[in-house]
Amino acid sequence: MVGALVLGILTMLGLGQLREINAENTAVRVDRAGRAAATLLTERVEGSTVQRDGNGSPLSIEIPAEMMRPGPVWDDLVDDIGGINQGAANLFRFSSETSSFDRLSTTFRTPEGERVGGSAVEPGLIGAAHPAYDAIMSIEPFVGEVPVAGRLRMAYLTPVTAPDGSVTGIFAVDVGWVDDLDRINGEATDDAIALAVGLLAVLGTVGVVVMFLSFRPLHRLSGIAHSLGSAGNTDRPPTSLTSRRDEIGDLAKGLAKVAELRETLEHQAYTDALTNVANRAALIEELDRRFEAIESSDDGFALAILDLDGFKKVNDGLGHQAGDELLSTIAAALTTASGAGEFVARLGGDEFAILSAIGPRPVAGVDELIDRLHRCVSGDFETSSGEARVTASVGVVVIPDHGRTSADAMSHADLALYEVKRLRSSRSMVYEPHLSASFERQVHLTSQLRRALDDDELWVAYQPLYDNAGHVVAVEGLARWDHPVEGPIPPSEFIPIAESTGLIGELGAWVLAESCRQITEWAAAGIDVPIVSMNVSTIQLRRPDFVDQVAELLAAHPVARGRLCLELTESVLVPDATGWHKTVLDGLTALGVRLSIDDFGTGYSSLSYLHDLAVDQVKVDRSFIAAAVNDRRQSRLLRGIVSLGKDLGLNVVLEGVETVEAFGLVADLDYDVLQGFLLARPMRASEVCRSFGTIHPLFEDGPASASVAA
Ligand code: C2E
Ligand code: MG
Ligand code: MG
């Protein structure tokens, strides 16, 4: 390109110089022509004289007036001069009428060889507009370009004067066309420019090609750098670039390292370090992808969230190492069992998620999926510390029926799982829309319960428990919540919420304190206080300061000592490697607190576990009585449980005596205590104390009479 520019500039300079030299030559030639013409004229035309400047160039020619007319003298003269000059010669005569010069004689010829104008005078050829006009009128020669037939000639025009000094004409000679050079010059310039442009175009094209070729690797690398910097697949620089030994090679190697690093980071970011399956972030991405994919099809997919039951026991009993091994084994089992289109992820802790592609008829596929997950996860697993036994709870959503976004899918599957855990009646559940409503209600009640605890909306009802002679031997304190707007909210609704949110600790502590305060109040009023039972959630019991809390209460309410009975759930009976429950139960026993197992028979534990623990009493769940009323086998089962409890030296309480039939049924059982709506409902402290020390009317003739009456 630079070359083309230089060439162009040189051409222009050369042409400029040529033009200068040519102008100088022309000036010399025209000057000579002027002198020669003047000399020849004075020789041929009688009486004419020439005035010259110091160099001999003619300034003016004086010609007698009578000579200023056309004629052969002039025609010959101009022809001769034209021949010598290799140009033209003309004689003009001034016309005072037109103030212009008429031509008398010329060397110009028509194409036929005739003199232009013939022998006629050509009028007004040089007028005021002519470049030489002013000079001539001032009796000065004019040397320069003059227009002829639309072009330019280099001419020497000498004014002709009369003897009186007035201008009478012009004697003009020239040396030919001067615009020839300009034309040639222009053509040459055009050629030079065309050449330069052509050269420039060729050079430009070559430059672009060279640049394209040399920039191609850079372009490729910049594309890779871009893909590295954005989400999506990562390109790696090809070996053709990484093997280069130049800057591009260095750059490619650097990018290859970054790509490798990114892959590692991505792997770490999307993989669960313990089990090596996908993690929560990867699951969400996969969910998003699947939601996008089903937008344009009728297909759906299922998301199952699986939570291990009993994992905590494995961790506590066999140690965390065994827990980790179990999680890895289960992750591997899930992965092995997963089919095409399935995606396994660990969400954290003992929670896994499985995405399964399902066709247009999803439900059958979902049942199969749930069965498969249970088969994978339930059972005994070998760990380095021993055998671990777990089962699974599974919550499932079917997409798109149960959610339009990944967040919906996750939260609805969670809800289904939560419901499985809450109800404990089945091991899996497919999401149903009412779960969302019940969840919202739970969220609402949670915040309300927090406030209720502060605002004294809770109170304790007491339900009397009777021995087989009809004496009130105990009362069970039951939490009650009277919501200012919604009215009474049953414990079956708010106790599970309190348990799942941790509020149970506060609530339980309050019930305990309130009951102790009530015992003190009754005692102060001289009322013979029987045993007061209170329900304690396992979550509350596990609090490290629970025993101390009870000890403090008893210290504050000494009259409660020996009158307190805590009702625990069956889950505390299950053996536990840490032995925490034994420590707690022993601690409570040491404080003189009686311990009762509530709802006995529902938790699938064994009576034999009771052996090792400091338990005083079992309360057989009311479902046993309800079942026994109409079923002989069930009634035999109830009898067996009662006598087994008695054999173990335990106090046996039968709860749920609701009907006369039930009362009749239990009459010949060896129970110790009865509780039920038939006998008395939970009531206010002020009411319940009236029944202390009296005999229940139903027992007046002994329990057997009720059976007879029934
Ligand atoms: P629970 O400990 O088994 O308490 C006995 C429940 O059975 C009470 O229900 C009582 O009203 C009811 N009941 C008594 N006799 C009969 C009967 O003949 N028929 C029927 N159908 N029911 C009878 P409530 O008060 O609704 O309490 C339900 C459960 O809530 C309690 O069961 C207990 O597990 C829990 N709960 C109540 N208060 C507390 C508390 O302060 N702390 C904790 N952790 N749990 C509590
Ligand atoms: Mg109870
Ligand atoms: Mg109970």
Side-chain angles (χ1 to χ4, degrees), residues 338-353:
S338 62
E342 291 196 331
F343 186 90
V344 177
R346 179 178 168 222
L347 299 179
D350 57 355
E351 259 190 16
F352 291 87

Side-chain angles (χ1 to χ4, degrees), residues 186-519:
E187 280 167 12
T189 305
D190 288 350
D191 288 350
I193 287 171
L195 190 71
V197 167
L199 211 62
L200 212 65
V202 172
L203 282 176
T205 311
V206 170
V208 166
V209 170
V210 169
M211 251 165 67
F212 176 76
L213 288 177
S214 50
F215 272 100
R216 206 153 67 147
L218 273 178
H219 189 73
R220 181 99 192 264
L221 288 177
S222 86
I224 291 170
H226 182 76
S227 85
L228 277 176
S230 50
N233 289 343
T234 318
D235 285 343
R236 274 165 171 275
T239 34
S240 60
L241 294 181
T242 48
S243 58
R244 282 173 65 146
R245 288 165 177 270
D246 55 6
E247 286 84 352
I248 288 184
D250 290 345
L251 191 62
K253 275 177 225 136
L255 284 179
K257 282 233 166 64
V258 174
E260 206 177 292
L261 197 69
R262 188 186 144 157
E263 259 172 35
T264 312
L265 287 175
E266 254 174 16
H267 180 78
Q268 283 169 2
Y270 289 112
T271 309
D272 177 58
L274 174 66
T275 60
N276 224 19
V277 295
N279 64 8
R280 181 182 284 270
L283 175 76
I284 301 293
E285 283 216 348
E286 180 64 21
L287 261 177
D288 289 345
R289 245 196 306 278
R290 291 196 182 207
F291 267 105
E292 251 175 54
I294 60 165
E295 259 175 28
S296 51
S297 77
D298 288 341
D299 286 353
F301 63 88
L303 164 68
I305 297 186
L306 179 155
D307 184 281
L308 300 184
D309 304 318
F311 180 69
K312 191 170 172 0
K313 274 194 207 128
V314 176
N315 254 349
D316 291 348
L318 300 176
H320 284 259
Q321 165 74 25
D324 287 355
E325 287 172 30
L326 177 66
L327 290 174
S328 298
T329 309
I330 284 175
L334 289 171
T335 310
T336 310
S338 62
E342 291 196 331
F343 186 90
V344 177
R346 179 178 168 222
L347 299 179
D350 57 355
E351 259 190 16
F352 291 87
I354 294 88
L355 273 173
S356 181
I358 45 176
R361 286 197 47 79
V363 179
V366 168
D367 290 345
E368 186 278 323
L369 174 69
I370 292 172
D371 281 353
R372 182 152 45 92
L373 294 181
H374 280 306
R375 275 201 308 279
C376 265
V377 169
S378 306
D380 298 328
F381 294 89
E382 277 304 324
T383 73
S384 53
S385 314
E387 211 164 68
R389 167 171 282 245
V390 280
T391 53
S393 298
V394 180
V396 181
V397 280
V398 176
I399 302 300
D401 301 2
H402 300 150
R404 297 273 164 193
T405 62
S406 301
D408 277 358
M410 289 296 283
S411 74
H412 291 169
D414 256 343
L415 276 184
L417 175 64
Y418 176 78
E419 199 65 1
V420 174
K421 291 261 179 190
R422 196 175 73 85
L423 296 179
R424 292 184 194 158
S425 52
S426 71
R427 295 200 295 148
S428 60
M429 181 175 282
V430 178
Y431 171 81
E432 287 165 27
H434 77 79
L435 293 181
S436 286
S438 97
F439 180 71
E440 273 159 31
R441 164 112 181 124
Q442 284 175 40
V443 172
H444 166 70
L445 285 184
T446 305
S447 70
Q448 293 291 302
L449 186 58
R450 268 203 184 94
R451 188 191 45 74
L453 279 164
D454 295 338
D455 292 1
D456 289 341
E457 281 170 23
L458 296 177
W459 58 281
V460 180
Y462 296 92
Q463 185 180 25
L465 280 75
Y466 298 84
D467 65 9
N468 52 17
H471 294 110
V472 176
V473 288
V475 288
E476 180 177 4
L478 295 160
R480 291 289 177 266
W481 178 12
D482 286 348
H483 191 280
V485 178
E486 294 174 38
I489 293 170
S492 57
E493 195 169 6
F494 71 80
I495 294 292
I497 290 176
E499 285 186 326
S500 65
T501 55
L503 280 174
I504 193 71
E506 208 180 320
L507 187 147
W510 179 82
V511 172
L512 213 56
E514 171 56 20
S515 299
C516 287
R517 190 201 60 73
Q518 189 59 60
I519 294 171

Side-chain angles (χ1 to χ4, degrees), residues 557-569:
H557 301 279
V559 71
R561 198 174 277 275
R563 293 179 198 277
L564 220 54
C565 172
L566 298 185
E567 295 190 7
L568 317 173
T569 60

Side-chain angles (χ1 to χ4, degrees), residues 29 32-34 36-38 40-41 44 73-91 105-109 115 153-154 171-176:
R29 275 178 62 212
R32 275 198 201 131
L40 210 59
L41 187 145
R44 299 266 189 96
V73 179
W74 290 110
D75 291 344
D76 292 346
L77 180 66
V78 295
D79 282 348
D80 290 348
I81 291 172
I84 294 164
N85 292 346
Q86 291 168 341
N90 301 276
L91 175 73
S105 181
T106 180
T107 51
F108 284 116
R109 296 285 188 274
R115 199 180 294 277
R153 293 180 77 84
M154 181 55 80
F171 193 69
V173 291
D174 68 40
V175 289

